Amino acid sequence: MSRGGAAAVAALLILLVLPPFFVDDYVQFILDLILVYVMVSFGFNIVLGYAGQLAFANAAFFGLGAYTLAICLGRLDWPFPAALFAAAVVGGAAGLLVSLPALRLRAYYLAIITLAFGELLRWTYVHASGLTRGSSGLGVPAISIFGIPVASDRARYWLFLALAGLTLWGSANLLRSRFGRALVAVRGNEAAAAAMGLAPAVVKIGAFAWSGVVVAIGGAMYALLLGRISPESFGLSQLLLHFSIVMIGGLGSLVGSVLGAVILTAAPELLRDIPGLEEIIFSLLLIGVLLFMPKGVAGLLGRLALFRERLYLT
Amino acid sequence: MFAQLVVSGIGQGSIYALVALGMTILFRVTTVVNFAHGELFMAGAFLIYALLNALGVPYAAAALAALLFLFLFGNAVERLLMRPLANAPHLSLAMMTVALSYLLRGGVRFLWGGNVRSLPPMFSFAPIEVGPVVIDAQDAVIIASTAALLVLFFALMRYSRFGKEAQAVTDSTRGAALVGINVAAFQRTMWGVAAMVAAVASILVAPETMLYPDMGARVLLRAFAAMTLGGFGSLGGAVAGGILMGIIEQLAGGYVSTAMIDIASYIVIIAVLLLRPSGLFGRAEVVRV
């Protein structure tokens, strides 16, 4: 990285750390929520954008992360770092599990099995009420990290920022590694990738596992932020939000993921009060993106040739 | 009890069979898996509800209107949303149907709210008793109409020019185009036909079921279970799988617990795809490169 680049990154970091000192409570909550969805979007984009796999399990990973954290903290009295680690492990394991059908011949088997998997989990949250308290919802206790309480939205912001930053750094490095290049090769042409000595199956499993880890950490953050989780938070409307963020931001672009999360999370609260309106607006946006800008907002910026190299790996 | 459960299962399963059949004919001709198919079914049911309640038209007229509207709607979807993506990657086509499903669900929720609604029963004759088994009037109508429709449909596929063209387009779009079939127009018609088959399911089921915006997603997963069980892409398999799925659900509900009714289809999907992805009647697929 050049000296100018390093200075720019340092300036950006300082800017990102400052908001809690200036904004009001409501804006702070929205900022925290944006960070949650930045995380989710990083994870989903790896499967949908980089590996090119249509999978509907994202809300399931998200819910697993949230419930694992809530159960480990509230029921087992684990310290926060251990609970977060458990959420990541459970998410990774789920990612591994659903990637198995992705290895079969037909692509839409994956879509169908992941759809069933998500609904099955939601049913489990409702019916395993001994563990999850069912439809009435499960409370998430306040946390402290190594003795420092993290109880307000402001304190959580820094925690979330650190987690999102680490994930972005990790994901970006992963995607630039041999593994990332292999992922893009497999998306392009599986047979050609295999002919070049890559193992498409291993690459896909890796992508799903990493995606599961990242999205589950996002889910754990979501549980912390809301303080109470219930099964209906992890259904089809949650999934629509995830799809919209990734597609509108830009498939296969981590910067696009950030943009998508900012645009859609900051969408006015008004949408939530009128039944169906959120679904209508988000789906129209999705249709518009599919028809007119298949690479999303990031693609639009890329077309201006400002930083084409940075935005896309491919 | 067993026979009773099987009979109600066939009634339920007929609806899954119709929805799965619509998705399968569309899939065979366009290679698109339509994730909005459940919502087409749901929209048909709400259309009938609106016509009956707001305009007070007779049921038959509402049913005809639903058929016609969904046929036109299917055509419009193909022309406006799918055709422009003809050269896009497959992921985009699937995403488009996902977006359409949310649009329809949001539209219905916006117009009617999230409340559960219901229609009065279409037929009020007494249940039919065959030995110890009682067949509900509505179930009897559903089973008989589905059977009649299936005979008509398979006869059409086998003996009509339309059926032969469908087979040609399924085998190879390029080959079909070479022998003079207008493939784009054919696929558009097929979207209309598939949507119309969904409307048939709504017509049959609307009077006895609860109407709510998410009812389509519920049926979509059961139709997927039917298709995977019967072998993906097989017309007969979709029908057999649908009826089998209805029976499995009822048996699981009767012998295990009623909570099992909701997840029987998910378990079937996961088990079949992991153990025998070609389904009961499908052939294992070989991909040549």
Side-chain angles (χ1 to χ4, degrees):
Chain A
M1 199 183 285
S2 68
R3 193 179 293 173
V9 168
L12 188 67
L13 276 179
I14 292 170
L15 272 178
L16 281 174
V17 169
L18 291 179
F21 296 115
F22 301 104
V23 299
D24 64 30
D25 289 351
Y26 176 70
V27 175
Q28 185 60 59
F29 176 79
I30 295 291
L31 287 178
D32 287 14
L33 200 58
I34 288 176
L35 286 173
V36 168
Y37 282 112
V38 162
M39 197 77 169
V40 167
S41 178
F42 284 160
F44 200 14
N45 212 340
I46 288 168
V47 163
L48 201 63
Y50 285 92
Q53 303 286 313
L54 182 62
F56 291 89
N58 218 61
F61 299 156
F62 192 66
L64 276 175
Y67 269 103
T68 308
L69 184 91
I71 289 167
C72 288
L73 286 178
R75 296 286 167 113
L76 309 175
D77 284 326
W78 285 16
F80 172 71
L84 186 68
F85 184 72
V89 168
V90 169
L96 240 154
L97 191 71
V98 303
S99 71
L100 296 178
L103 314 179
R104 301 276 192 182
L105 292 174
R106 288 176 164 180
Y108 42 77
Y109 282 168
L110 176 74
I112 294 168
I113 206 169
T114 48
L115 205 54
F117 178 70
E119 291 300 293
L120 188 61
L121 274 182
R122 210 149 54 95
W123 181 91
T124 311
Y125 302 146
V126 175
H127 285 84
S129 45
L131 209 55
T132 64
R133 289 198 198 285
S135 309
S136 51
L138 180 62
V140 185
I143 55 156
S144 60
I145 301 173
F146 305 121
I148 308 161
V150 182
S152 69
D153 285 350
R154 274 164 228 287
R156 276 193 279 268
Y157 175 84
W158 287 307
L159 170 66
F160 290 3
L161 189 65
L163 287 172
L166 277 174
T167 312
L168 175 61
W169 180 70
S171 298
N173 277 339
L174 193 68
L175 290 169
R176 273 165 213 283
S177 71
R178 188 182 162 79
F179 171 78
R181 310 264 173 209
L183 202 57
V184 174
V186 168
R187 179 187 65 189
N189 184 334
E190 212 173 307
M196 282 163 54
L198 299 168
V202 176
V203 171
K204 281 188 204 168
I205 292 178
F208 269 96
W210 178 246
S211 169
V213 168
V214 173
V215 176
I217 295 177
M221 287 155 60
Y222 181 75
L224 277 184
L225 184 60
L226 293 201
R228 170 168 287 277
I229 50 174
S230 57
E232 65 264 34
S233 309
F234 307 106
L236 293 172
S237 31
Q238 183 69 251
L239 193 60
L240 171 66
L241 182 58
H242 298 182
F243 267 124
S244 306
I245 289 175
V246 172
M247 298 291 293
I248 288 163
L251 275 181
S253 160
L254 290 179
V255 176
S257 286
V258 178
L259 293 173
V262 172
I263 295 169
L264 290 186
T265 314
E269 284 288 300
L270 170 80
L271 292 185
R272 272 157 212 137
D273 296 335
I274 301 171
L277 196 59
E278 195 179 49
E279 281 167 310
I280 295 176
I281 306 252
F282 283 8
S283 55
L284 284 178
L285 278 172
L286 262 181
I287 291 174
V289 164
L290 282 164
L291 287 179
F292 305 115
M293 40 188 244
K295 286 189 168 177
V297 176
L300 209 62
L301 291 179
R303 221 181 290 166
L304 300 176
L306 281 177
F307 22 37
R308 192 174 312 219
E309 290 296 307
R310 296 273 167 75
L311 286 172
Y312 278 95
L313 175 74
T314 44
Chain B
M1 174 156 142
F2 180 78
Q4 182 69 59
L5 288 172
V6 169
V7 170
S8 352
I10 295 174
Q12 273 294 313
S14 300
I15 300 301
Y16 306 156
L18 283 174
V19 175
L21 185 68
M23 292 178 71
T24 306
I25 50 176
L26 189 63
F27 170 70
R28 284 168 65 95
V29 172
T30 64
T31 70
V32 171
V33 177
N34 182 15
F35 287 94
H37 212 78
E39 275 65 31
L40 292 175
F41 161 78
M42 181 272 293
F46 269 87
L47 190 65
I48 293 169
Y49 174 82
L51 288 172
L52 288 180
N53 274 7
L55 303 177
V57 299
Y59 199 85
L64 271 178
L67 285 176
L68 184 67
F69 177 81
L70 271 151
F71 179 75
L72 294 176
F73 185 77
N75 275 277
V77 166
E78 197 280 344
R79 185 62 196 88
L80 297 176
L81 301 182
M82 307 309 287
R83 177 69 37 197
L85 296 181
N87 296 319
H90 226 86
L91 183 69
S92 307
L93 289 166
M95 278 305 302
M96 187 57 101
T97 67
V98 173
L100 176 66
S101 77
Y102 280 108
L103 183 61
L104 285 171
R105 210 177 308 154
V108 168
R109 216 190 299 280
F110 183 72
L111 291 173
W112 282 284
N115 294 341
V116 173
R117 284 149 204 281
S118 62
L119 285 171
M122 181 170 40
F123 299 97
S124 44
F125 59 81
I128 304 163
E129 288 182 34
V130 185
V133 179
V134 182
I135 307 174
D136 180 66
Q138 189 69 37
D139 270 352
V141 172
I142 289 177
I143 295 171
S145 326
T146 307
L149 252 162
L150 288 176
V151 170
L152 180 74
F153 176 81
F154 281 98
L156 265 177
M157 287 309 274
R158 194 171 189 110
Y159 300 113
S160 73
R161 184 184 169 83
F162 182 79
K164 292 190 173 123
E165 287 184 351
Q167 191 53 49
V169 177
T170 304
D171 283 349
S172 155
T173 47
R174 179 174 297 207
L178 276 174
V179 296
I181 297 170
N182 183 345
V183 172
F186 194 81
Q187 289 182 336
R188 183 149 69 242
T189 311
M190 240 7 178
W191 265 93
V193 171
M196 214 161 64
V197 176
V200 172
S202 356
I203 291 166
L204 290 175
V205 86
E208 72 153 11
T209 192
M210 299 293 168
L211 307 188
Y212 53 99
D214 292 324
M215 68 190 275
R218 190 177 165 279
V219 169
L220 180 82
L221 272 162
R222 281 150 178 82
F224 274 144
M227 292 165 81
T228 27
L229 197 57
F232 216 92
S234 146
L235 291 169
V239 173
I243 289 168
L244 207 54
M245 194 58 239
I247 296 173
I248 294 173
E249 251 182 24
Q250 291 299 316
L251 289 180
Y255 288 108
V256 188
S257 99
T258 47
M260 287 297 291
I261 293 182
D262 285 332
I263 54 165
S265 53
Y266 314 151
I267 294 174
V268 164
I269 289 177
I270 292 171
V272 173
L273 285 185
L274 289 181
L275 301 176
R276 190 181 155 78
S278 51
L280 295 177
F281 310 111
R283 249 173 295 157
E285 194 180 351
V286 181
V287 169
R288 296 192 175 83
V289 271

